[in-house]
DNA sequence: TAGATTGTTAATCGATTAACAATC
DNA sequence: TAGATTGTTAATCGATTAACAATC
């Protein structure tokens, strides 16, 4: 079955829909129209219907969308109905912070291991998981069928570890290192470049405060 | 002077240009053509020239672009030629990790204060900066002319603190809380929704591994 | 100068919005 | 049924790519 490729623009909006629908569900809202949702989320109703229809019809004419059902379906699309085991490479401040973040678990992302090449960190525990040395990584990835690796190491180390990850079955890399990674086809990279994000904020602040005049 | 609005698509690419140019500069490369840069970065030369020309001509026909000059100009556009003081609201794992991250300082982002409402965290130091209680926040923002607030607190608290930030002169919010913030015009919000990013990765992993067949 | 490469206009592509027939 | 609202096609808008004259 050939499925048409869904654009990343659409994918990027799904988690936000998921969040709003989860809140509506928790508030006991049973049904919602694209019009109501559009006002809540400040997007067009047209876009909402187009987005959902990429994955088939979730609504019903004259009724709208069932919140609970739509929430669950979007969750499935995002792969949140299955568990994803992950390891963290880099037990510095950021790596440990991510290991301690409990909400990922709630979505099916299971924290299995954490690794660092710094001997002084080895043995230290992050949420009950001991930091291991890098030499233990390949076997651990295979034995635990790790799907996702979170990279919270400096860029040079990051580039070097990618091959090990890929060779041992990792399918997705959540990359916090400030570098573009090269991976073979079939392996996914999602970048979180914090300093890029901060620079964007910096630009927008500057451009919103023109040198002289009040505002635009 | 009316300047045409630059699209966020372009802004979003500037930090990546900045990173590549910085590396070229460090490698001693003096000049580069849009063609060479396009091969390095895996984007079209056309896009590179279009992007740069949003801000005026940085190049020279027949020569290309001077790396050092272009790097500095993009830095200026991003506001990296001036200092930006910031505070962190929320001294949990993520807040402390960001406070300890030294690279921001290098780009002109100065870590001035960190706040939390949890009394057990108050007084603790993050990179030499003591955690203060929330009641100290308004005066601190004004007295230190804080430009940016980093929100690393749960979503409910985040929504509540925004007014205090805006009223006391904060111009930009770097929002790690999993909620959409409402701010008045002129105040910028840059969201880092980590779980959204992880869900996108999850989707891309799932869709890249079709249930049955090998690959597309 | 001649060759190279930009700056910029024109063409294409893709994403968003509008409109409306289908249908619950 | 009649009204409401989806699913989907068509129109618009914006972003990307191609082409080429300007110019160093």
């Amino acid at each position: 079955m050939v499925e048409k490729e869904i654009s990343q623009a659409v994918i990027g909006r799904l988690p936000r829909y998921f969040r709003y629908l989860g809140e509506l569900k928790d508030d006991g809202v049973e049904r919602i129209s694209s019009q109501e949702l559009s006002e809540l989320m400040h997007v067009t109703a047209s876009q909402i219907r187009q987005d959902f229809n990429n994955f088939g019809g979730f609504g019903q004419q004259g009724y709208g969308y069932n919140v609970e059902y739509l929430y669950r379906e979007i969750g499935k699309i995002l792969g949140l109905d299955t568990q994803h085991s992950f390891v963290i490479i880099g037990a510095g401040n950021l790596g440990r912070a991510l290991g301690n973040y409990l909400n990922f678990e709630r979505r099916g992302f299971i924290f299995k291991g954490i690794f660092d090449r710094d001997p002084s960190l080895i043995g230290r525990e992050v949420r009950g998981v001991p930091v291991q040395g890098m030499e233990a990584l390949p076997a651990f990835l295979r034995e635990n069928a790790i799907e996702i690796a979170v990279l919270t190491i400096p860029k040079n180390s990051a580039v070097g570890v990618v091959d090990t990850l890929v060779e041992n079955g990792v399918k997705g890399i959540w990359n916090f290192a400030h570098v573009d990674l090269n991976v073979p086809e079939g392996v996914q990279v999602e970048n979180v470049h914090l300093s890029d994000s901060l620079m964007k904020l910096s630009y927008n602040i500057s451009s919103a405060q023109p040198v002289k005049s009040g505002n635009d």
Side-chain angles (χ1 to χ4, degrees), chain A:
Chain A
M1 183 176 78
V2 179
E3 302 177 19
K4 65 176 177 309
E5 191 87 11
I6 311 292
S7 86
Q8 288 296 312
V10 174
I11 307 309
R13 286 192 292 266
L14 292 183
R16 189 157 177 266
Y17 290 130
F18 187 70
R19 174 154 51 90
Y20 274 86
L21 288 164
E23 281 166 12
L24 286 166
K25 182 175 73 70
D26 292 345
D27 291 349
V29 177
E30 214 170 77
R31 58 167 284 266
I32 195 160
S33 68
S34 57
Q35 179 59 35
E36 292 168 305
L37 192 55
S38 86
E39 283 159 16
L40 198 62
M41 296 183 64
H42 299 110
V43 297
T44 64
S46 217
Q47 180 165 76
I48 290 173
R49 295 203 299 276
Q50 286 277 20
D51 282 352
F52 293 168
N53 272 79
N54 280 294
F55 307 97
F58 297 139
Q60 193 167 71
Q61 284 101 329
Y63 171 86
Y65 299 88
N66 179 285
V67 170
E68 170 101 41
Y69 173 71
L70 184 56
Y71 173 78
R72 216 170 37 236
E73 288 302 310
I74 293 179
K76 275 192 218 167
I77 293 165
L78 289 168
L80 306 180
D81 56 336
T82 56
Q83 295 205 330
H84 306 272
S85 57
F86 71 89
V87 297
I88 296 173
I89 318 289
N93 290 301
L94 184 57
R96 294 199 308 272
L98 293 173
N100 278 305
Y101 194 57
L102 292 163
N103 272 351
F104 299 150
E105 212 89 352
R106 205 160 55 85
R107 296 292 177 220
F109 299 94
I110 313 297
F111 174 40
K112 286 290 189 67
I114 178 163
F115 297 81
D116 205 291
R117 68 173 183 194
D118 179 352
S120 76
L121 289 171
I122 292 169
R124 185 168 171 172
E125 292 204 347
V126 177
R127 196 143 62 86
V129 176
V131 177
Q132 299 180 63
M134 293 300 286
E135 68 287 347
L137 182 60
F140 189 92
L141 292 173
R142 282 194 309 277
E143 284 160 19
N144 294 275
I146 298 297
E147 194 179 24
I148 295 171
V150 182
L151 286 193
T152 51
I153 47 180
K155 57 182 175 181
N156 295 327
S157 323
V159 173
V161 84
V162 165
D163 286 349
T164 303
L165 297 174
V166 171
E167 281 162 17
N168 292 284
V170 166
K171 291 284 170 277
I173 297 176
W174 202 21
N175 178 37
F176 288 77
H178 204 207
V179 65
D180 296 322
L181 300 178
N182 264 88
V183 295
E185 209 179 328
V187 176
Q188 310 303 312
V189 176
E190 169 78 17
N191 292 306
V192 181
H193 291 332
L194 292 179
S195 52
D196 287 17
S197 169
L198 188 52
M199 288 180 194
K200 243 195 298 176
L201 178 60
S202 169
Y203 172 87
N204 284 322
I205 291 172
S206 314
S207 73
Q209 330 263 302
V211 186
K212 262 284 149 59
S213 62
N215 61 349
D216 58 337

